[in-house]
Amino acid sequence: MAHSPLVFIFGILGNIASFVCFLAPLPTFYRVCKKKSTEGFQSIPYVAALFSAMLWIFYAYVKTGETLLITINAFGCVIETIYLAIFITYCPKKVRISTLRMILLLNFGGFCTIVLLTHILAKGANRLKLLGWICVVFATSVFAAPLSIIRTVIKTKSVEFLPFPLSLLLFISAIMWLMYGLSLKDIYVTLPNVVGLTFGAVQMVLYAMYRKNKPLPDQKLPEHKGADIENNVGGEKSVEVEKNEKEKKKDEEKKQDLEEVIEVVVRNIEMKETKKEDEAEEKTTKEKEKEEDNSSLSREQNQTESKEQQQIKS
């Protein structure tokens, strides 16, 4: 099916904007690989993004002729799969299990269910309508995800958690795909991007309002709050483990000190015994020498007496 030049232009621009948006988490996952820790980040946004890309590929396949929708969402499937693989590699065991369960239920079970239902419950044009509305509902919920960030910005009156470059890219991407949907006269592509454009505009206004405000201390992103909850749940265990390690270290130090004291005492005892043995040996040697001297004197006296007696006889 041939499209007008405007459809192609807005489709290409939408592909470029979405391509950059898909690459936005790269610094985050570079840090995850470097530190070998997910640092409390949640996998839900990446699982949802993968599911959304899968739905739009299926929608473009059913509609036929929507190559530009297929290209960008195929790239999205690849990059989100890579993100999830990195996340699963470095996340804690419990988070890994929950993430794999979510992928199995949503990206496999949910997608297969949608494919089966759209083929069983609807035929022809009705199938495209059913699938289109499913895509609208899910894509709208994904576009509504920044509500938590918007609420945080309004509450703190700070844009610390509102990255302007990414917000601007998402805003531009929503505009491009909105224009693509309008040019194509596709309500299913248009509606979610109306929501995306609205939230993007709200974020731009909030950024303009609070960009000069200083960030408040001890404020955290929603995804980090999940990490804090997890840390608090295991907090007592961590404290106990740390306490046990300190006590164990102290016991080892005491044991080492005691061993050193015992070693010194034993060494002193050995030195005293050695000294006594040396003194005894020296005393024995002196007695022997004295006895030998006495025996020598006795012999000399005997010899002298013998000579005197011989002289008297003669």
Side-chain angles (χ1 to χ4, degrees), residues 49-189:
L50 176 60
F51 185 65
S52 178
M54 293 167 67
L55 280 180
W56 283 114
I57 288 175
F58 183 47
Y59 172 79
Y61 169 77
V62 172
K63 188 178 180 182
T64 68
E66 298 299 331
T67 306
L68 293 174
L69 275 178
I70 292 175
T71 53
I72 189 58
N73 285 291
F75 174 75
C77 284
V78 173
I79 195 70
E80 297 299 337
T81 301
I82 293 171
Y83 291 155
L84 285 170
I86 295 171
F87 184 91
I88 290 168
T89 302
Y90 295 113
C91 69
K93 186 177 179 180
K94 288 184 179 179
V95 179
R96 183 182 300 117
I97 292 171
S98 63
T99 300
L100 289 172
R101 186 183 294 116
M102 188 163 40
I103 292 171
L104 185 65
L105 291 175
L106 184 64
N107 298 91
F108 182 76
F111 183 75
C112 290
T113 301
I114 289 171
V115 171
L116 289 173
L117 288 176
T118 52
H119 276 78
I120 294 171
L121 299 179
K123 302 292 182 182
N126 290 330
R127 178 184 299 167
L128 185 63
K129 288 180 181 180
L130 177 60
L131 181 57
W133 282 113
I134 292 173
C135 290
V136 167
V137 170
F138 190 80
T140 301
S141 64
V142 170
F143 275 121
L147 277 173
S148 59
I149 300 296
I150 291 172
R151 185 171 60 252
T152 302
V153 171
I154 294 172
K155 184 179 178 181
T156 62
K157 299 187 186 320
S158 168
V159 294
E160 183 185 5
F161 306 131
L162 186 64
F164 180 75
L166 180 59
S167 298
L168 181 61
L169 279 171
L170 291 170
F171 181 66
I172 293 171
S173 177
I175 292 174
M176 294 301 104
W177 287 113
L178 174 62
M179 299 306 296
Y180 177 83
L182 290 173
S183 302
L184 197 61
K185 296 179 181 179
D186 190 329
I187 190 174
Y188 309 116
V189 176

Side-chain angles (χ1 to χ4, degrees), residues 254-271:
K254 288 181 180 178
K255 187 178 179 181
Q256 188 175 358
D257 292 339
L258 183 62
E259 288 176 354
E260 289 178 357
V261 171
I262 293 171
E263 187 178 351
V264 171
V265 172
V266 170
R267 193 183 300 119
N268 289 335
I269 293 172
E270 288 177 351
M271 288 176 66

Side-chain angles (χ1 to χ4, degrees), residues 186-236:
D186 190 329
I187 190 174
Y188 309 116
V189 176
T190 303
L191 284 178
N193 287 288
V194 170
V195 178
L197 180 63
T198 303
F199 284 121
V202 171
Q203 291 181 68
M204 295 297 101
V205 171
L206 289 174
Y207 189 87
M209 289 172 61
Y210 300 123
R211 71 182 186 280
K212 294 182 180 179
N213 290 8
K214 292 183 179 180
L216 295 175
D218 300 328
Q219 292 291 334
K220 295 189 176 183
L221 280 169
E223 56 263 30
H224 287 291
K225 290 181 180 177
D228 289 342
I229 292 171
E230 184 179 348
N231 291 335
N232 289 333
V233 170
E236 293 181 0

